[in-house]
Structure formats: structure tokens, C-alpha cells
């Protein structure tokens, strides 16, 4: 089987998750994708991910600093959370959120193995990440926003969790590039992201195109 075929099969299997709520986004008409279940956890730590997504370069663009309070929503087993924890250091904090307890169990084990004590796991819901209000400098969504079954409610709760100058950062596979071997519903265009996120009280700050396959899309929250 080719790698392209393996990717396609894996993404089809995500649709079997109990968290999927099939539907279309009310602003853009985009098909909402299914959430990856625990059976796909190995995909999150595949060796090829370093080259395909360049996570350290992605985090460079966020300019995280020691002492920051950040959140990784849809953290899975901690692929990005652990990296963020090292960057914000012992005086900082990472809220690692997921809707699947099994993912968070594995994340905690991974953090313990790496001797990282500045990560707090948070079991959220499909409508609320359960983050503390007004505390977060940066909220990161890596290939997860397109899976939100209640994106408007999630964005509103994220906005409430951000500090006044906080940032929401989305990494999404480029829908504009048909050569990227990911199913269409697991990609997003900048136009789609801007339309959906700005409708919930945010303003597009910048788009960074330094990664091989993903947009880095940065928003600031509007003052209401």
C-alpha cells in the first residue's frame, strides 16, 4: 500500500469516533470532519510528522517565552504540549485539553517520562474546552479546528479564556493545495478560517506560510 493510500484509510477511520457530529458549518458551508479516536493515537507520533509538519518551526512562529500560560486544544497524547512546556519553562504553564480521557492518560504518562511538571490536563467537551477565564496568552489548535462539531461555541469559550492581548493560533493543512495527501474535509483554506473565526469576535492578525503543508493562522480577540 502506498503512503497516500494509508493516509486516506486512516482519515476515513477517524469518522467512526463517538465524538463525530456530521454537519456543515453555518458560515462557510464547510463539511465538519470527524474526530480521531484513540485507535489513531500512533498517527500523532509517527516519525514522518517531524518532516511533514516541522513542529519546532511552527512553535518558533508563536514566539513563546518563559512564564507564559498557553493552551493546546485537541492535545492528543501531547505531541505539541510537551514541546510547549519546554518553551514556557517551569514558571509557565500548559493547559493540555482533549475530549478523550484515554488521550489525556497517555499525555500525562508522556509528561511524567519527560519530567515535565508544568502541564495540566483538562478534559473538555465538544462545546467547551474548560479553560480558565482570562488567563491564556496563546491558544493553539493543531489540525483540530476543522473537527469541532460546535465550532461557534468553542470559539466563544476560547475567546473568554484569552487574556486581552492573547492570541488564537490555528495550524491547518492547506486546502488551496490539492497535492497535499489529506482528505478534503481535513484541510482548510485561509478564506474559510478567516470567515468562521472572525464571526466569533476575533480579528485576523497574520498568516505565516513557513511550513511544508500547513497554514499558521494567527488571530487576536476583539474587545467587545
Amino acid at each position: 500500500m502506498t503512503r497516500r493510500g494509508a493516509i486516506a484509510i486512516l482519515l476515513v477511520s477517524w469518522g467512526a469516533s463517538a465524538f463525530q457530529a456530521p454537519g456543515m458549518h453555518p458560515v462557510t458551508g464547510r463539511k465538519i470532519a470527524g474526530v480521531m479516536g484513540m485507535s489513531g493515537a500512533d498517527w500523532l507520533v509517527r516519525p514522518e510528522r517531524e518532516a511533514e509538519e516541522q513542529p519546532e518551526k511552527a512553535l518558533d512562529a508563536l514566539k513563546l517565552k518563559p512564564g507564559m500560560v498557553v493552551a493546546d486544544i485537541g492535545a492528543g497524547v501531547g505531541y505539541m504540549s510537551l514541546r510547549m512546556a519546554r518553551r514556557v519553562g517551569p514558571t509557565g504553564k500548559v493547559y493540555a485539553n482533549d475530549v478523550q480521557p484515554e488521550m489525556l492518560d497517555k499525555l500525562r504518562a508522556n509528561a511524567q517520562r519527560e519530567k515535565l511538571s508544568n502541564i495540566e490536563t483538562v478534559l473538555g467537551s465538544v462545546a467547551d474546552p474548560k479553560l480558565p477565564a482570562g488567563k491564556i496568552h496563546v491558544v493553539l489548535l493543531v489540525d483540530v479546528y476543522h473537527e469541532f462539531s460546535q465550532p461557534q461555541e468553542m470559539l466563544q469559550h476560547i475567546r473568554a479564556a484569552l487574556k486581552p492581548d492573547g492570541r488564537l493560533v490555528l495550524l491547518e493543512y492547506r486546502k488551496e493545495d490539492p497535492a497535499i495527501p489529506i482528505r478534503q474535509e481535513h484541510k482548510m483554506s485561509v478564506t474559510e478560517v478567516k470567515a468562521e473565526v472572525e464571526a466569533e469576535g476575533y480579528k485576523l492578525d497574520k498568516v505565516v506560510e513557513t511550513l511544508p503543508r500547513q497554514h499558521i493562522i494567527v488571530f487576536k480577540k476583539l474587545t467587545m
Side-chain angles (χ1 to χ4, degrees):
M1 180 184 295
T2 65
R3 174 156 179 77
R4 184 183 293 262
I7 291 172
I9 288 173
L10 181 57
L11 287 177
V12 167
S13 74
W14 291 2
S17 168
F19 295 99
Q20 182 176 5
M24 313 294 279
H25 194 282
V27 173
T28 62
R30 168 183 63 84
K31 181 181 178 182
I32 293 172
V35 175
M36 185 185 69
M38 190 63 193
S39 62
D42 287 347
W43 166 259
L44 299 175
V45 293
R46 66 194 186 279
E48 300 88 350
R49 191 170 178 183
E50 289 283 346
E52 292 171 356
E53 298 190 8
Q54 297 183 4
E56 295 297 339
K57 182 181 283 189
L59 291 177
D60 288 344
L62 273 58
K63 299 186 181 346
L64 301 183
K65 298 177 182 177
M68 278 187 165
V69 178
V70 299
D72 182 14
I73 296 182
V77 299
Y79 188 79
M80 297 298 281
S81 297
L82 272 60
R83 288 172 166 81
M84 295 169 77
R86 295 187 190 101
R87 292 190 178 225
V88 301
T91 61
K93 187 169 187 175
V94 178
Y95 289 96
N97 157 280
D98 208 280
V99 294
Q100 301 178 78
E102 300 84 358
M103 289 285 194
L104 296 178
D105 288 343
K106 192 158 187 180
L107 192 157
R108 283 190 289 270
N110 290 338
Q112 184 175 15
R113 187 187 65 246
E114 297 293 326
K115 297 181 170 55
L116 293 168
S117 59
N118 59 342
I119 298 176
E120 180 177 332
T121 56
V122 181
L123 181 63
S125 72
V126 296
D128 186 352
K130 307 293 180 68
L131 297 174
K135 299 292 187 181
I136 314 297
H137 292 96
V138 178
V139 170
L140 179 63
L141 309 176
V142 179
D143 301 324
V144 68
Y145 171 75
H146 64 267
E147 298 178 354
F148 285 170
S149 60
Q150 299 185 45
Q152 294 165 303
E153 292 87 345
M154 282 291 285
L155 287 171
Q156 290 161 14
H157 283 294
I158 291 169
R159 186 179 178 281
L162 287 170
K163 286 178 170 287
D165 60 347
R167 292 172 287 152
L168 169 63
V169 182
L170 282 69
L171 271 63
E172 289 287 344
Y173 278 91
R174 298 185 187 101
K175 185 178 281 189
E176 298 90 339
D177 185 354
I180 294 174
I182 299 291
R183 286 176 62 93
Q184 192 74 352
E185 65 267 30
H186 290 274
K187 300 179 181 180
M188 290 197 71
S189 69
V190 172
T191 299
E192 285 175 325
V193 173
K194 182 177 186 294
E196 295 182 15
V197 176
E198 287 195 334
E200 305 306 327
Y202 298 81
K203 181 66 177 177
L204 180 64
D205 181 43
K206 61 183 175 180
V207 180
V208 181
E209 300 289 13
T210 56
L211 303 183
R213 296 182 172 185
Q214 296 155 295
H215 302 295
I216 303 173
I217 309 175
V218 182
F219 291 89
K220 294 183 177 180
K221 75 175 193 178
L222 294 176
T223 302
M224 297 298 194

